[in-house]
Amino acid sequence: MFGIHDLPLFVISGLLLNIMPGPDSLLVMTRSATQGWRAGVAATLGICTGTLVHILAAAVGLSALLATSATAFTVVKLVGAAYILWMAVGLLRSRKADGAQAAMELPALPYRKIFAQGFLTNVLNPKVALFFLAFVPQFISIDAPNKAMAFIVLGCIFNFNGMLWSGALAVATAKASERIKLNPSFSLWLKRATGGLFVWLGVKLALSKQH
């Protein structure tokens, strides 16, 4: 449907990326720990809105660029595969952080400002835009009838899964009533597992025939 292929692999990869600790999860957990789960959910909604902006911008831009050139789409996919391999190397080289991560001390804010904070944290992060441009096209067939629609569908699936994870994280953190303490060993294992998956994915995409 929509020229999408390898959807289960896309979902698994996206879930691993959402689970992996980063600025977004740090903000959600900190707000939940300091102001309760509703504050964490507000941050989550802001982050997901920012992600939606990246998805729509990338879909429109990619569609305009590739509308008349199948070759250009193939080039984008190959460059994206190389970027995925580059990310994998960085993840595999990760080392255990020294000590537990200290909690961020944040002043209490109205939910609308927390939403805005989550939105800006995500929408102003260029790595998010690069990720979508590199990752999502790998799962769109070169002969897809509407590449922009396929991009939006995949992006929304990724965003929905991310919203579910961040929402659960907000509730769990608030109920635990703890400051942020990410287990260094778990974080390292997760990064290396994701890195291994990305190595396999990048090589598979680089060597396979274009769909």
Side-chain angles (χ1 to χ4, degrees):
M1 185 180 294
F2 300 110
I4 295 170
H5 60 85
D6 293 325
L7 183 59
L9 178 59
F10 175 83
V11 172
I12 292 171
S13 302
L15 284 172
L16 279 173
L17 285 166
N18 282 314
I19 292 171
M20 195 164 54
D24 289 346
S25 58
L26 182 64
L27 177 63
V28 170
M29 292 176 72
T30 303
R31 282 300 175 189
S32 298
T34 56
Q35 287 186 246
W37 68 269
R38 290 180 178 83
V41 170
T44 294
L45 292 175
I47 289 165
C48 290
T49 304
T51 301
L52 188 60
V53 171
H54 283 297
I55 292 167
L56 294 175
V60 172
L62 198 64
S63 177
L65 175 66
L66 307 176
T68 60
S69 176
T71 301
F73 189 65
T74 299
V75 170
V76 167
K77 294 186 73 159
L78 290 175
V79 172
Y83 179 71
I84 289 170
L85 284 171
W86 179 81
M87 287 195 302
V89 170
L91 290 167
L92 290 172
R93 294 179 63 187
S94 298
R95 296 183 179 181
K96 187 181 296 186
D98 295 329
Q101 186 171 353
M104 295 168 57
E105 294 293 339
L106 297 177
L109 290 175
Y111 293 151
R112 67 178 183 280
K113 290 189 176 181
I114 296 175
F115 174 92
Q117 189 177 52
F119 175 80
L120 292 174
T121 296
N122 188 278
V123 81
L124 297 179
N125 186 350
K127 290 184 178 180
V128 178
L130 284 174
F131 164 75
F132 279 110
L133 285 172
F135 188 66
V136 176
Q138 310 300 335
F139 300 89
I140 301 174
S141 299
I142 196 168
D143 57 352
N146 191 330
K147 294 182 178 67
M149 180 57 67
F151 197 109
I152 291 171
V153 169
L154 287 172
C156 287
I157 290 172
F158 178 90
N159 204 20
F160 180 74
N161 289 337
M163 181 177 64
L164 291 180
W165 166 253
S166 294
L169 193 63
V171 174
T173 302
K175 286 187 177 296
S177 299
E178 293 178 348
R179 297 288 183 177
I180 298 171
K181 293 181 180 179
L182 297 178
N183 186 298
S185 296
F186 174 75
S187 178
L188 180 63
W189 175 87
L190 186 59
K191 287 180 180 179
R192 289 183 175 173
T194 305
L197 174 65
F198 273 30
V199 167
W200 175 79
L201 177 60
V203 171
K204 174 180 180 292
L205 294 169
L207 298 180
S208 65
K209 294 180 180 179
Q210 297 301 316
H211 290 265

